[in-house]
């Protein structure tokens, strides 16, 4: 599973299926928009690492021009608030 951070308020967490035609294809993923929440992308990613992916899409296509970073979900370090 991978985490894709974008230049927008969207973050994508799911299974990397393919990369082609300037597009990352993810399956069984959580497409999460942080604009209308008080949770930052970083906190959301940490929560997902701890609790698991909340799958809300079967497949999504992410334009590589929008991608800031890609990392393995397993590489996200967990921490305790407080």
């Amino acid at each position: 599973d991978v985490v894709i951070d974008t230049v927008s308020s969207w973050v994508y967490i799911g299974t990397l299926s393919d990369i082609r035609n300037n597009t990352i294809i993810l399956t069984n993923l959580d497409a999460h928009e942080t604009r209308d929440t008080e949770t930052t992308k970083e906190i959301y990613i940490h929560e997902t690492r701890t609790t698991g992916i909340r799958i809300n899409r079967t497949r999504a296509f992410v334009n590589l021009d929008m991608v800031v970073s890609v990392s393995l979900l397993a590489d996200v370090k967990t921490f305790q608030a407080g």
Side-chain angles (χ1 to χ4, degrees), residues 18-35:
D18 200 0
I19 300 174
R20 62 180 159 190
N21 301 325
N22 204 41
T23 303
I24 296 175
I25 302 168
L26 296 175
T27 55
N28 298 321
L29 68 137
D30 179 3
H32 183 75
E33 204 273 329
T34 59
R35 185 176 25 178

Side-chain angles (χ1 to χ4, degrees), residues 10 28-32 44 53-59:
W10 286 87
N28 298 321
L29 68 137
D30 179 3
H32 183 75
Y44 189 80
I53 299 173
R54 299 166 198 88
I55 296 172
N56 58 20
R57 304 280 194 284
T58 302
R59 186 170 55 174

